[in-house]
Amino acid sequence: MTRVLTDVDVRIINRVAVNGNPFTELLHTWVENGRRRNALSRVNYTVSDTPQMRAYHIEAFAQRQRRCDA
């Protein structure tokens, strides 16, 4: 059975670690089977918060979810 994800969004939050190294938190939110879901991921580089980068990360997230179903 395939998962139906709707209302997928990502918040891009740039942060700095205690040691001074930059990193980015990606907060993915979506609705699945009528339930709001969340996932947090971190990357060890900064990501620009632009519509293009948000679209890229939303598509990458959706692709990862499709691979998990297979």
Side-chain angles (χ1 to χ4, degrees):
M1 183 170 156
T2 61
R3 296 167 67 186
V4 178
L5 308 179
T6 59
D7 196 22
V8 179
D9 195 19
V10 64
R11 285 189 60 207
I12 299 173
I13 305 161
N14 290 304
R15 300 196 184 271
V16 177
V18 174
N19 62 4
N21 293 336
F23 69 96
T24 301
E25 290 182 339
L26 303 169
L27 176 61
H28 296 278
T29 58
W30 70 98
V31 175
E32 182 179 1
N33 296 330
R35 293 178 51 204
R36 170 77 56 201
R37 308 291 297 256
N38 298 311
L40 177 68
S41 58
R42 293 184 176 131
V43 293
N44 61 353
Y45 49 86
T46 58
V47 175
S48 301
D49 189 8
T50 63
Q52 294 84 3
M53 289 305 289
R54 274 187 251 127
Y56 169 78
H57 283 286
I58 288 171
E59 182 56 35
F61 173 77
Q63 187 176 31
R64 281 194 308 271
Q65 296 302 313
R66 283 192 296 270
R67 274 198 307 260
C68 290
D69 287 342

